[in-house]
Amino acid sequence: MNLYLFNPENDLAIAFGGENYTPPPAAQLIGKELSALPLWYADDSTIYIPDKLPSDFLHTLVPFNLKISTVTPDRLDGAQVKQIHVWGWNRDLIKRLRLAGIDKTLLPSARQCDTIRELSHRKFSAEIGKYLRNRIDYPFPELPVELHTADEIRSFTEQSDRKILKAPWSGSGRGLYWNLYGYDTALAQWSNGVLQKQGMLMGEPVYDKISDWAMEFHSDGFEVKFAGYSSFLTDRHGAYKENRLASDAVLELQLTHAVGLEIITAVKKSLIDFFTERIAPYYTGYFGVDMMAYRDKRGNTLLHPFVELNLRMNMGMVARKLADRFLPPETEGRYRVDYYPKPGELHNDHIARLKTNPPRITDGKLLRGYLALTPVSPHSRYRASIEI
C-alpha cells in the first residue's frame, strides 16, 4: 500500500535538526486533530491516523466516493507499505517510522535528510533570487542578507526603511520579527535567542504587499514539474490564514493581470530548471515557493518570486488538489485551517455552519456550502474546512 502521513511539526523538527524531537503540545494537537487531512489529496492510498475515524465523519465522505483506507499505530508494524508520503521529512520522523516497522529502504537516508534541511534554510531563497536575477531581465527585489552577530542585526535594523527578520528554519509565517522600532530590547532578546539556536538570521525590507501567491512543484527524484498556482491570505504578522479555491486557469489569469504573463512564464521556466538541478536529486514529492505581488516606490506592481521555499507538502498544494478534485471548474471558495482556544467553541461553529450553509454535493463535487475536512467533536480545537 501507499501510506500517507500528516506531520505538521516538520518545520519545528527541521529547526531542531536531530532525532528525539518532542513537538510542543499545540503541534501535537494539530497533528492529531487534522490527521485525516491526507484523505483529500492522497491517491487511492492508506492514511496513517492515531485513532479510528468517527462514524459521523465517515458518513460525510460517502458522496465523494473516496477509495482510501486508514491504519492506526497498532496496525502499522507488518503492514505491506510500498511507498510513503509524508508532510515533510526530518531525522526524527525517519527514526520514528523505522521503529514503527517501516522498511528503511522506503525512507530517506540521514545524508538526504541533512541535505533537505540545508535546502530548507531561508538563505536558499537568496540563492533562488540570485539565479533568477542572473537569468531574467526584470526589476527583482534585493536579495535577503545574512546576519550573524548582534552588531550586524543592530546595523541592519537601524537603517531608515522598515525591516523584517527571519529565523533560518521556520514556516507558515512563524519565526518572523517585524522591526518597527529599531534595535530595542524586545528585538535584542528575540534575535539573540535565534542566534544561539540557529546561528544566524535573514534580513529583508518590508514590501508594500498587494497579494500572496505561490507556485507549486513536484519532484520525482529526477526532474521537477510545475504543479499549479496557489493564492493565499496571511494575517498582519505573516502567519497563514487560508487559501482561495479556484481553477488553476483562473488563478493564472488573475496573477497575469497583476504582474504580466511574460514574467510569470519566465520565472516558472527558470524555477523548473533550477529545481531540477538543485532539488530533484535529493527530494521526492510536492513543494512550493511563496511569492507576492507588491508595489514599488513608484507605484508599479511587481512580482517577488522568492519569498520563501517550502520543501514539503503545503497548504497551497492541498488547496490545489481540493479545487481540482472536488469543486466544479467555475466554482470558487476558500480552504482554511482554524483554531478555537476553548473546547466547545469550534463544535458550536461547526453545527451553526452546517445549518446556515449546508453542503450540496453532486457527482462527487461540492457545488456550495460548508464542509469539514477533518472530524469535529465537542473537544476539537483545530479544523480544516471548505466553504463556498
Side-chain angles (χ1 to χ4, degrees):
M1 65 182 180
N2 290 334
L3 181 67
Y4 279 74
L5 183 150
F6 179 60
N7 58 307
E9 78 285 354
N10 179 71
D11 293 339
L12 299 174
I14 284 279
F16 179 76
E19 299 176 349
N20 305 315
Y21 173 68
T22 302
Q28 295 182 45
L29 185 61
I30 191 173
K32 178 180 179 180
E33 295 196 342
L34 302 188
S35 61
L37 187 61
L39 286 167
W40 302 96
Y41 61 81
D43 298 307
D44 293 345
S45 300
T46 299
I47 310 303
Y48 175 87
I49 55 173
D51 303 297
K52 290 184 178 180
L53 295 175
S55 58
D56 58 340
F57 175 72
L58 291 173
H59 181 71
T60 66
L61 305 179
V62 173
F64 296 101
N65 300 313
L66 295 173
K67 298 178 181 178
I68 297 177
S69 61
T70 60
V71 62
T72 51
D74 58 311
R75 298 291 186 89
L76 187 57
D77 190 9
Q80 299 299 311
V81 178
K82 296 181 179 179
Q83 196 171 32
I84 185 165
H85 305 267
V86 301
W87 192 258
W89 286 113
N90 60 77
R91 275 180 169 262
D92 179 69
L93 177 64
I94 289 174
K95 178 183 178 180
R96 288 193 286 117
L97 290 175
R98 193 171 61 244
L99 293 175
I102 298 296
D103 189 333
K104 66 178 182 179
T105 61
L106 301 177
L107 306 174
S109 66
R111 185 172 182 179
Q112 280 179 292
C113 221
D114 289 342
T115 301
I116 290 172
R117 184 174 189 266
E118 181 181 344
L119 295 173
S120 299
H121 194 291
R122 277 198 164 107
K123 68 182 179 180
F124 192 64
S125 296
E127 189 174 336
I128 297 170
K130 185 177 181 180
Y131 179 86
L132 293 176
R133 289 163 68 100
N134 290 336
R135 184 157 171 165
I136 303 171
D137 182 16
Y138 185 78
F140 288 116
E142 56 188 89
L143 299 177
V145 298
E146 299 182 13
L147 305 169
H148 297 270
T149 67
D151 287 341
E152 290 179 353
I153 294 170
R154 179 190 295 273
S155 176
F156 180 78
T157 55
E158 288 182 346
Q159 298 172 20
S160 58
D161 294 339
R162 292 176 62 204
K163 306 293 183 181
I164 181 172
L165 301 176
K166 300 182 178 182
W169 289 288
S170 65
S172 301
R174 299 180 181 89
L176 307 182
Y177 194 101
W178 301 84
N179 175 45
L180 304 177
Y181 308 109
Y183 192 77
D184 58 9
T185 301
L187 173 55
Q189 291 177 343
W190 180 84
S191 59
N192 286 337
V194 176
L195 289 178
Q196 290 175 6
K197 293 179 179 179
Q198 300 191 25
M200 62 176 290
L201 284 162
M202 302 298 296
E204 304 175 25
V206 174
Y207 296 98
D208 184 11
K209 182 176 68 175
I210 299 172
S211 53
D212 287 302
W213 297 85
M215 288 187 185
E216 308 293 345
F217 299 90
H218 183 268
S219 168
D220 64 3
F222 300 95
E223 65 176 331
V224 167
K225 294 183 179 180
F226 180 70
Y229 295 98
S230 166
S231 172
F232 61 99
L233 301 176
T234 58
D235 64 20
R236 61 189 181 91
H237 302 293
Y240 170 81
K241 288 181 63 178
E242 64 183 53
N243 270 88
R244 292 174 54 219
L245 295 176
S247 70
D248 214 45
V250 166
L251 294 184
E252 183 177 61
L253 183 63
Q254 293 175 352
L255 183 56
T256 297
H257 181 73
V259 301
L261 180 61
E262 185 176 352
I263 183 59
I264 295 171
T265 303
V267 165
K268 185 193 305 181
K269 183 179 185 306
S270 295
L271 289 179
I272 289 172
D273 293 342
F274 178 73
F275 292 146
T276 294
E277 178 183 349
R278 295 287 282 111
I279 287 179
Y282 313 104
Y283 176 81
T284 300
Y286 289 103
F287 64 97
V289 183
D290 288 350
M291 305 180 176
M292 75 167 78
Y294 73 100
R295 295 183 189 89
D296 68 6
K297 294 180 179 180
R298 297 181 178 180
N300 301 312
T301 300
L302 299 174
L303 179 69
H304 184 339
F306 49 92
V307 174
E308 183 170 298
L309 172 73
N310 294 306
L311 195 56
R312 52 170 170 73
M313 187 64 176
N314 57 82
M315 293 303 178
M317 196 62 229
V318 174
R320 180 73 274 128
K321 294 276 192 179
L322 288 169
D324 292 343
R325 291 181 176 184
F326 302 108
L327 270 63
E330 69 279 4
T331 302
E332 295 190 24
R334 65 179 188 176
Y335 159 70
R336 67 184 309 171
V337 174
D338 47 10
Y339 167 72
Y340 286 71
K342 295 181 180 179
E345 290 183 337
L346 174 54
H347 187 256
N348 291 340
D349 181 83
H350 171 68
I351 298 300
R353 290 179 187 273
L354 285 174
K355 289 181 179 179
T356 59
N357 195 17
R360 180 182 173 187
I361 304 162
T362 301
D363 296 329
K365 303 287 186 180
L366 180 65
L367 305 185
R368 67 169 180 260
Y370 156 81
L371 178 72
L373 304 176
T374 52
V376 176
S377 76
H379 305 287
S380 297
R381 308 284 184 90
Y382 290 94
R383 166 185 57 185
S385 65
I386 301 176
E387 194 152 15
I388 299 170

